[in-house]
Amino acid sequence: MRIQISGARLIDPANQLDQVADIFIQSGKVVAIGPMPRDFVADQMIDAHGLVAAPGLVDLAASLREPGYGRKGNIASETFAAAVGGVTSLCCTPFTKPVTDTAAVVDLILEKARDQGFTKVYPLGALTQGLKGEQLAELVTLKQAGCVAFTNGLRPIVNNRVLRHALEYAATFDLTVIFQPQDADLAAGGIAHEGKTASFRGLAGIPETAETVALSRDLLLVEQSGVRAHFSQITTAKGAYLIAKAQARGLPVTADVAMYQLLLNDEELIDFSSDYHVIPPIRSQEDQQGLLEAVKSGVIGAIASHHQPQERDAKLAPFADTEPGISSIEILLPLALRLVEQGLLDLPTAIARLTYGPAQALNLKAGRLTVGSVADLVLFDPQQSITVGERWYSKGRNCPFMGETLPGHVRYTLLNGEIIYRA
């Protein structure tokens, strides 16, 4: 399939491109930008005047819920929701049933993704067997099967000797370890950010030290082991500061933040809506501002959806008894454009944190849109708005932005040079 995209504003932060140009696609790759190559005859023309063309979004943390949690979502439904939002590459978390700690589970995920998926899927493997924090999973075998990094998520590795051994082993084989820093003891029983709102509403709090204490330990062990580390779902301004200091010392660390942490703060909990129940919790307004500054500066180089679809019943109980998580992968780009609309980020920076930044963090072959690159891209109208929920493809409707009007309408998503979504 040969496709000509005419008149788009092309933004590719990886190559510092921001220009109006035609894009020519053949055999799944970008073959030219600007003048038409000789002997090129398009099978399909896309009039993209007024649209922005960007690399397909790269999401570092999405729960696809398969295998094991079919009521919440599956690979087909959640990758299609992702494609609707302009995502072409995503990392799926290992919190499946069974846990993604064997090559057989990885093979199952990748086979389903090939047969039923609408994006490229990169599995994250469990760092320890069963995520129990006791014995290392077969990390090299999992890498050979297709895992791009390893994590225990919020499941604690209490024994520091076990964690040190895991990091040294990973460093030996040049594996990336993903941390979600949260001290289990300090966070125990908590469901909201420890602050005025939680106190006023009688909600058990999780202090910022639950993140910073764990993060400090993890950074010290990263420095000792030399492992390449990514810190996922940073929620506090002090956490971002610790990441910045580590990067200044030359440690090989990157970080991401959940999109909703940049748009929400704990004052949203005033009406007890369970759609705001996430772990780690939505933090204070000061933390929200600190995270935005870290995103602007590049200390936090990636924004992720941290998509966790839940079935309807999971959010119907009182706040403390509901399951945490927000379903948001299909509005990842519109939420970013809200930050742009509010003047909190410029458009090239927002696109960088959704494409090149996450791809670079885990060394993924994605996040670029230049001659010779795979033609994974999104075309969107920054002037046209959407109403969240009017069309919704994820099986999880647990989204606090339902009914809101957001800027930006994805018109086309292309994967390997093929149109996989057209509005």
Side-chain angles (χ1 to χ4, degrees):
M1 173 71 76
R2 288 168 293 186
I3 298 175
Q4 179 179 348
I5 300 170
S6 301
R9 177 187 174 187
L10 168 60
I11 300 179
D12 177 18
N15 294 286
Q16 298 182 330
L17 291 178
D18 187 350
Q19 64 189 60
V20 175
D22 289 2
I23 304 168
F24 300 89
I25 297 168
Q26 183 173 333
S27 301
K29 293 189 175 183
V30 177
V31 294
I33 293 173
M36 180 185 294
R38 182 177 299 178
D39 299 327
F40 184 94
V41 179
D43 301 307
Q44 182 167 359
M45 297 277 294
I46 297 176
D47 182 359
H49 289 84
L51 304 185
V52 174
L57 308 192
V58 181
D59 191 354
L60 292 183
S63 294
L64 301 182
R65 301 305 197 186
E66 189 176 9
Y69 298 98
R71 290 185 63 195
K72 300 177 185 294
N74 55 57
I75 288 170
S77 67
E78 304 315 301
T79 57
F80 186 69
V84 169
V87 176
T88 56
S89 298
L90 62 83
C91 296
C92 60
T93 59
F95 318 120
T96 49
K97 188 168 63 175
V99 168
T100 311
D101 63 355
T102 65
V105 178
V106 177
D107 290 343
L108 172 63
I109 292 169
L110 291 176
E111 182 178 352
K112 286 270 186 122
R114 283 190 294 268
D115 293 344
Q116 303 174 16
F118 293 86
T119 68
K120 293 172 181 174
V121 173
Y122 298 94
L124 302 177
L127 184 61
T128 62
Q129 293 179 23
L131 296 170
K132 295 178 180 178
E134 297 171 355
Q135 295 182 327
L136 277 185
E138 296 289 341
L139 303 186
V140 173
T141 300
L142 289 171
K143 180 182 180 180
Q144 292 169 345
C147 289
V148 295
F150 302 90
T151 183
N152 238 50
L154 293 172
R155 311 287 181 88
I157 300 178
V158 178
N159 189 316
N160 288 336
R161 182 177 295 178
V162 172
L163 179 55
R164 176 187 172 184
H165 173 61
L167 300 185
E168 290 174 343
Y169 182 86
T172 299
F173 292 96
D174 194 29
L175 309 177
T176 301
V177 174
I178 298 176
F179 295 86
Q180 281 187 261
Q182 179 170 276
D183 184 281
D185 294 325
L186 289 171
I191 55 173
H193 171 65
E194 185 178 274
K196 293 180 180 179
T197 301
S199 297
F200 180 70
R201 285 302 184 187
L203 299 173
I206 299 176
E208 68 172 20
T209 50
E211 176 168 287
T212 54
V213 167
L215 181 55
S216 298
R217 177 200 68 166
D218 296 340
L219 286 170
L220 289 170
L221 290 173
V222 166
E223 187 169 23
Q224 182 177 42
S225 65
V227 72
R228 190 168 62 247
H230 179 76
F231 287 87
S232 186
Q233 214 168 357
I234 297 298
T235 67
T236 67
K238 287 186 178 177
Y241 171 78
L242 291 172
I243 295 290
K245 297 293 285 185
Q247 291 173 343
R249 297 203 312 273
L251 295 190
V253 298
T254 53
D256 74 59
V257 62
M259 177 63 79
Y260 54 77
Q261 294 282 2
L262 302 176
L263 290 158
L264 306 172
N265 58 63
D266 65 339
E267 293 179 6
E268 315 290 345
L269 305 181
I270 204 71
D271 65 354
F272 285 111
S273 171
S274 62
D275 282 336
Y276 296 102
H277 181 198
V278 290
I279 299 294
I282 296 167
R283 295 289 185 179
S284 69
Q285 192 172 39
E286 291 77 13
D287 288 313
Q288 181 185 9
Q289 293 302 315
L291 293 170
L292 277 165
E293 289 302 320
V295 169
K296 284 182 190 178
S297 68
V299 167
I300 294 178
I303 304 173
S305 71
H306 289 276
H307 175 68
Q308 290 181 282
Q310 301 283 8
E311 73 276 24
R312 184 171 179 270
D313 291 349
K315 289 288 189 178
L316 287 181
F319 188 96
D321 297 325
T322 58
E323 294 188 45
I326 287 176
S327 174
S328 62
I329 197 167
E330 61 197 274
I331 54 170
L332 184 59
L333 180 58
L335 290 175
L337 295 177
R338 171 174 279 185
L339 294 172
V340 174
E341 183 181 64
Q342 294 173 345
L344 300 172
L345 292 177
D346 60 53
L347 183 57
T349 298
I351 291 176
R353 303 297 180 258
L354 295 172
T355 58
Y356 179 60
Q360 192 177 39
L362 296 190
N363 291 326
L364 303 179
K365 293 181 179 179
R368 295 174 177 269
L369 188 54
T370 187
V371 174
S373 67
V374 175
D376 296 346
L377 63 98
V378 58
L379 287 166
F380 66 92
D381 186 342
Q383 303 302 320
Q384 186 176 358
S385 298
I386 63 165
T387 300
V388 180
E390 281 190 351
R391 50 175 191 142
W392 195 258
Y393 299 97
S394 169
K395 289 187 74 173
R397 295 185 63 86
N398 51 303
C399 178
F401 302 101
M402 283 291 182
E404 294 191 21
T405 299
L406 296 176
H409 182 205
V410 173
R411 298 284 297 277
Y412 295 87
T413 303
L414 281 72
L415 184 72
N416 294 324
E418 299 288 335
I419 297 172
I420 56 167
Y421 171 73
R422 183 202 313 258

